[in-house]
């Protein structure tokens, strides 16, 4: 299976990028994961939505061809970053490549509650985009106090309890994708 990850942070040492890389390397026997870059996408503009830049076309093609999408978001001002919303806007227009696509949300942040508010917001946005949203009950990957759970030098999640939880969530998500 082929999955793509959309990381809502542009920061080089982003905890969410580290989480995506951990998932990419940890589950290679279950799926191939490509981490898509969203920093090069132009601002969404309805005037050019029918003839967008090649970066938009390539981005949308990769999402369309994927079996599932992981959305990893930090939390900025109780919401998702603008760069992630911009990517979602491009995905929701014209050919609407996310409609019916299985999507899992996740996020890591330095606060105690992780990315709870951002994930509630992104789920609201995704519901309007008619994705096949993975049910959150028991599957919420909300990594709080991320600075204590990641090895920043190696760029990976190191907290064993969190890894065990993610293992269970990813196993359920893979089954969800197979049934979709």
């Amino acid at each position: 299976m082929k999955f793509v990850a959309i990381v809502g942070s542009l920061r080089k040492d982003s905890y969410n990028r580290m989480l995506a890389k951990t998932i990419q390397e940890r589950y290679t026997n279950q799926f191939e994961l490509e981490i898509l870059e969203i920093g090069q996408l132009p601002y969404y503009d309805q005037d050019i939505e029918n003839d967008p830049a090649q970066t938009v076309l390539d981005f949308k093609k990769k999402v369309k061809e994927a079996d599932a999408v992981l959305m990893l978001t930090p939390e900025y001002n109780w919401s998702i970053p603008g760069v992630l919303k911009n990517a979602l806007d491009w995905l929701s227009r014209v050919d609407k490549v996310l409609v019916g696509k299985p999507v899992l949300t996740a996020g890591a942040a330095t606060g105690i509650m992780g990315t709870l508010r951002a994930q509630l917001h992104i789920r609201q946005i995704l519901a309007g985009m008619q994705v096949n949203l993975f049910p959150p009950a028991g599957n919420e990957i909300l990594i709080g106090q991320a600075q204590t759970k990641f090895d920043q030098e190696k760029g990976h999640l190191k907290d064993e309890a969190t890894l065990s939880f993610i293992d269970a969530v990813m196993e359920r998500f893979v089954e969800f994708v197979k049934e979709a």
Side-chain angles (χ1 to χ4, degrees):
M1 282 190 294
K2 170 83 173 162
F3 291 7
V4 293
I6 299 173
V7 178
S9 175
L10 301 180
R11 190 169 69 90
K12 183 179 73 116
D13 295 323
S14 155
Y15 294 118
N16 289 285
R17 185 168 303 284
M18 288 183 214
L19 177 57
K21 287 181 180 179
T22 298
I23 291 170
Q24 183 181 49
E25 294 172 8
R26 190 169 178 92
Y27 307 105
T28 56
N29 62 334
Q30 295 178 45
F31 54 84
E32 175 188 343
L33 178 66
E34 180 179 1
I35 301 169
L36 303 181
E37 297 301 325
I38 61 174
Q40 301 86 1
L41 295 174
Y43 292 127
Y44 169 75
D45 180 345
Q46 192 174 12
D47 289 339
I48 61 168
E49 72 178 5
N50 289 308
D51 188 27
Q54 190 63 44
T55 54
V56 173
L57 295 172
D58 294 344
F59 174 66
K60 291 177 86 167
K61 182 177 189 253
K62 288 180 180 188
V63 171
K64 183 177 183 173
E65 292 174 350
D67 296 303
V69 178
L70 307 178
M71 298 266 180
L72 299 97
T73 184
E75 184 169 299
Y76 297 171
N77 301 314
W78 294 10
S79 187
I80 64 172
V83 67
L84 180 55
K85 178 63 168 75
N86 184 59
L88 291 171
D89 287 343
W90 278 114
L91 294 173
S92 72
R93 301 295 294 187
V94 186
D95 49 353
K96 302 178 183 181
V97 297
L98 276 178
V99 171
K101 185 84 58 184
V103 176
L104 168 70
T105 62
T110 57
I112 293 172
M113 294 173 42
T115 58
L116 178 64
R117 291 179 183 109
Q119 285 197 51
L120 288 171
H121 192 203
I122 197 169
R123 287 178 161 281
Q124 182 180 28
I125 294 165
L126 291 169
M129 294 171 65
Q130 301 172 353
V131 304
N132 190 1
L133 199 51
F134 191 46
N139 299 310
E140 292 177 303
I141 301 176
L142 302 165
I143 302 174
Q145 299 179 320
Q147 70 278 15
T148 67
K149 295 178 180 165
F150 286 86
D151 182 331
Q152 292 184 1
E153 288 181 22
K154 294 182 181 175
H156 290 90
L157 181 62
K158 66 178 182 180
D159 184 75
E160 287 301 322
T162 304
L163 286 167
S164 293
F165 175 74
I166 292 172
D167 287 344
V169 171
M170 293 311 300
E171 183 177 323
R172 290 189 295 270
F173 185 62
V174 167
E175 288 305 311
F176 178 78
V177 173
K178 287 178 183 176
E179 294 171 4

